[in-house]
Amino acid sequence: MDPVIVVGAGPVGLTLALALARQDVPAVVLDEGPGKDDARPARTVVLREDTAALVERLTGIALGDHGVRWTGWRTVRRKQVISEITFGEDERGPLHIAQHVLTAALRAAIADEPLVQVVADSRLDSIEQERSGVAAHTRGPQGVWWRGSYLVGCDGPRSTVRKLQDIRFPGRTAVERHAVAALRVDLPWEGQALLHRMPPWRSSGPSAGEVAARPLPDGVWRLDWLLPPGRELVTPETLVARIRETLSGWTGDSAPAYDLLDTGVHTVHHRVARRWRAGRVFLAGDAAHLLGSLGTQGLDEGLQDAGNLAWKLAPAWHHGHHEALLDSYQTERRAVIAARLRAADQVLPVLRGGGGLRHIVPGTARGHDVLLTDGHLGRGPVGAQGTYADSPLAPSQLEGEIAVETAPGAPVTDVRVTAEDGSFVQLRDRLGRGALLVVLIAPGTGVWDRKHWMSAGVMPRLAAAVTALPHPAELLVAEEYPGAPAHSVLLVRPDGHLVTALNGVRPADLYAAAEATLGGTAQEREKAAQEEAVKEKTREKTEEKEGAEAGSGAR
């Protein structure tokens, strides 16, 4: 079987290749660059806890040693502290890390992975699809054809893969612009991030109306100043003046000594591809969507794309085409991104003072500051992680289904579990291996050796039911789970999203839920494939018509 071709060697492409390798699927990564990344301290990313855990599982590296998990967050308006949040064991802060550091960790892991081949200086120029695979040609003095089972475009906002597949990428350009600087300086909020709205100095005009400060290791901070609408030119002189003014305002004195490491202008676009799948070709990351008005969380969603797609490509690679399972990638991930973009488009005009939508975002300025804070922290209507409640992989109503604190389709809580070898591990540590997870909630088992309870109570019946499932599954036992009564059974997808919770051992329900998670029965998958073919033809006709109308209008 041919490997999966991954176009693009950024964090999303490298993560996807590693995630496939962990499920015994080989991958070839076509890297347009020289195989290494320049250090850019001002180019950073903010990762939610479960996304950071995904990368840590794949790399074996504790990202907290290379980035900063915020200990707190402060929102200030003028001179008043609006909110102050402290992170701890109950809620860990987001991880802030330089993107080149993250990429280096992924490259180091790939260097030790025999199933992944990275090919530098390989620029894609054509794709050909066949019934049994896909071929990609890279240009250069020695042009090469690469044969693959599937191809995934992780090649950024100007994606060649997307253009070669003639997939439209509608949306909004330059929704926001930020001047960015990374500097080493001593600020009075060690480990805490800060959002300062309408700072009292504001002598630099409207462009100084909002500034965020996010800590990095070794005393480095990333500062972002929201720029006013338009094309204000950010010169080195105006940026240095803004740095000095901001630092003086925060310290109450002349600007403290600082070492300027890197600068840039971050422009935010809101776009989402019309299609994320075209036969055996898929899109992920910035090739499929652009977002991130608040904070720097666009890459977080791209890494979630990789985790979602990897576990669906793996069974298709090992066992044959799973149309419904592969189609669900676009359905699930595109819905999540579209919801975030809709929320941002609704609330940003109010949060930025544009007015006109106060019926959507009611409340005082303080309430708007809270919404903005939640967006930065990956919470609330703009920033919260999406769920797959309406996934086509969700099982039909099950007789024994019960409600727990985690809704179906949402990421599971990371509780401690007992693995099949008797060891205690975190639930997230068992994800990403391609297997379904079946978790029995059994209070008291933690104080007994596994050999004493594996043959007692409901365990033999549950173990037999797990063995009979239509996909490899791992049986785990947890002392407790939020909202789950004793002897309930959870079914968890390989990417950590809850499929269902059952009231006791119900083999028929468990089997039906597992089958649905894989795309349904063979007959249902065939029907879904036929329906998708009809939809694909309809989309092509619509795009041809829109293109013709656009051409007519241009004339």
Side-chain angles (χ1 to χ4, degrees):
M1 186 75 169
D2 294 316
V4 174
I5 300 173
V6 178
V7 181
V12 175
L14 297 175
T15 296
L16 176 62
L18 274 174
L20 289 169
R22 297 296 185 264
Q23 298 171 69
D24 298 320
V25 177
V28 172
V29 181
L30 302 181
D31 185 354
E32 183 176 316
K36 59 181 180 179
D37 303 276
D38 295 332
R40 289 294 310 276
R43 191 177 186 187
T44 66
V45 297
V46 177
L47 302 180
R48 300 183 184 94
E49 180 63 21
D50 59 330
T51 307
L54 164 65
V55 179
E56 289 178 334
R57 285 196 306 272
L58 295 174
T59 62
I61 295 174
L63 295 183
D65 296 339
H66 303 276
V68 170
R69 292 188 187 276
W70 298 337
T71 59
W73 173 277
R74 301 172 78 237
T75 301
V76 179
R77 188 178 183 87
R78 297 187 177 91
K79 295 183 179 181
Q80 181 182 6
V81 177
I82 300 298
S83 65
E84 192 161 5
I85 299 170
T86 300
F87 298 111
E89 290 299 323
D90 293 339
E91 181 184 10
R92 300 185 73 185
L95 174 73
H96 188 211
I97 187 170
Q99 183 165 318
H100 70 271
V101 174
L102 177 65
T103 305
L106 290 163
R107 286 189 182 276
I110 280 180
D112 296 328
E113 178 49 71
L115 287 178
V116 179
Q117 178 186 6
V118 180
V119 187
D121 300 315
S122 298
R123 178 173 294 186
L124 181 76
D125 62 6
S126 65
I127 298 173
E128 293 184 2
Q129 290 200 59
E130 300 173 359
R131 186 176 184 86
S132 60
V134 60
H137 186 266
T138 53
R139 68 178 70 171
Q142 297 177 338
V144 178
W145 279 100
W146 299 90
R147 176 74 185 180
S149 53
Y150 301 94
L151 184 146
V152 186
C154 305
D155 49 344
R158 295 181 175 86
S159 171
T160 300
V161 173
R162 189 184 64 241
K163 293 173 183 176
L164 289 174
Q165 296 303 298
D166 197 25
I167 297 175
R168 298 181 64 195
F169 199 39
R172 299 171 59 204
T173 299
V175 177
E176 290 186 351
R177 294 171 67 239
H178 298 258
V180 182
L183 56 154
R184 185 174 285 107
V185 64
D186 185 16
L187 291 179
W189 318 292
E190 183 177 358
Q192 290 188 331
L194 169 75
L195 174 65
H196 199 156
R197 305 194 73 196
M198 301 179 67
W201 54 88
R202 302 189 69 193
S203 61
S204 295
S207 60
E210 183 175 305
V211 57
R214 304 179 182 91
L216 287 162
D218 303 322
V220 176
W221 292 77
R222 169 173 166 162
L223 273 58
D224 291 61
W225 294 268
L226 177 65
L227 297 174
R231 285 289 184 181
E232 177 188 347
L233 181 63
V234 182
T235 65
E237 293 77 16
T238 58
L239 184 56
V240 169
R242 186 173 286 115
I243 291 172
R244 290 176 175 171
E245 177 187 65
T246 301
L247 296 181
S248 297
W250 283 339
T251 61
D253 205 343
S254 58
Y258 66 90
D259 183 13
L260 183 59
L261 305 176
D262 190 22
T263 63
V265 175
H266 173 51
T267 303
V268 175
H269 308 289
H270 282 178
R271 294 186 179 276
V272 59
R274 284 287 175 86
R275 292 180 290 150
W276 292 28
R277 181 190 179 194
R280 289 178 174 265
V281 175
F282 298 81
L283 300 177
D286 286 352
H289 53 78
L290 294 174
L291 72 163
S293 293
L294 307 179
T296 51
Q297 297 166 350
L299 179 57
D300 184 286
E301 293 288 8
L303 297 177
Q304 289 291 330
D305 293 345
N308 184 290
L309 181 57
W311 83 264
K312 296 172 180 178
L313 283 175
W317 192 90
H318 286 292
H319 307 297
H321 222 47
H322 286 57
E323 284 294 338
L325 186 60
L326 295 176
D327 285 342
S328 71
Y329 164 68
Q330 170 179 298
T331 304
E332 291 181 347
R333 293 300 304 154
R334 195 179 188 281
V336 166
I337 298 300
R340 285 196 66 177
L341 290 179
R342 283 194 300 271
D345 285 341
Q346 287 177 343
V347 305
L348 279 176
V350 175
L351 297 178
R352 300 311 189 198
L357 292 173
R358 294 190 180 275
H359 64 289
I360 297 175
V361 189
T364 63
R366 179 184 291 268
H368 297 162
D369 290 335
V370 171
L371 272 173
L372 196 55
T373 295
D374 284 346
H376 276 283
L377 296 179
R379 308 188 305 194
V382 179
Q385 181 176 359
T387 66
Y388 307 139
D390 297 324
S391 168
L393 304 182
S396 303
Q397 186 172 2
L398 304 170
E399 182 180 348
E401 189 168 32
I402 59 173
V404 297
E405 287 190 15
T406 302
V412 292
T413 301
D414 189 28
V415 298
R416 191 180 80 155
V417 296
T418 305
E420 292 183 346
D421 61 2
S423 62
F424 293 114
V425 296
Q426 292 301 122
L427 181 54
R428 282 193 185 130
D429 292 341
R430 313 308 289 182
L431 300 175
R433 304 180 180 201
L436 298 170
L437 303 182
V438 178
V439 185
L440 172 68
I441 311 305
T445 51
V447 301
W448 298 96
D449 191 281
R450 182 174 179 272
K451 65 183 180 181
H452 295 305
W453 46 260
M454 273 302 295
S455 59
V458 301
M459 283 300 296
R461 186 165 176 245
L462 179 58
V466 170
T467 302
L469 291 180
H471 188 76
E474 182 179 7
L475 176 57
L476 305 168
V477 178
E479 285 265 346
E480 58 183 1
Y481 188 90
H487 303 144
S488 55
V489 175
L490 312 182
L491 180 63
V492 182
R493 297 182 357 168
D495 61 350
H497 289 255
L498 181 67
V499 177
T500 188
L502 301 174
N503 182 18
V505 179
R506 295 176 174 266
D509 282 352
L510 191 61
Y511 190 95
E515 192 173 49
T517 304
L518 297 173
T521 64
Q523 293 82 357
E524 290 169 338
R525 288 197 297 270
E526 180 62 26
K527 181 181 178 181
Q530 294 173 355
E531 292 175 348
E532 181 59 28
V534 172
K535 289 189 289 185
E536 181 67 20
K537 290 181 180 179
T538 302
R539 280 195 294 262
E540 290 175 354
K541 290 181 180 178
T542 300
E543 291 183 1
E544 289 176 1
K545 181 179 178 182
E546 291 175 346
E549 291 175 348
S552 176
R555 290 192 296 270

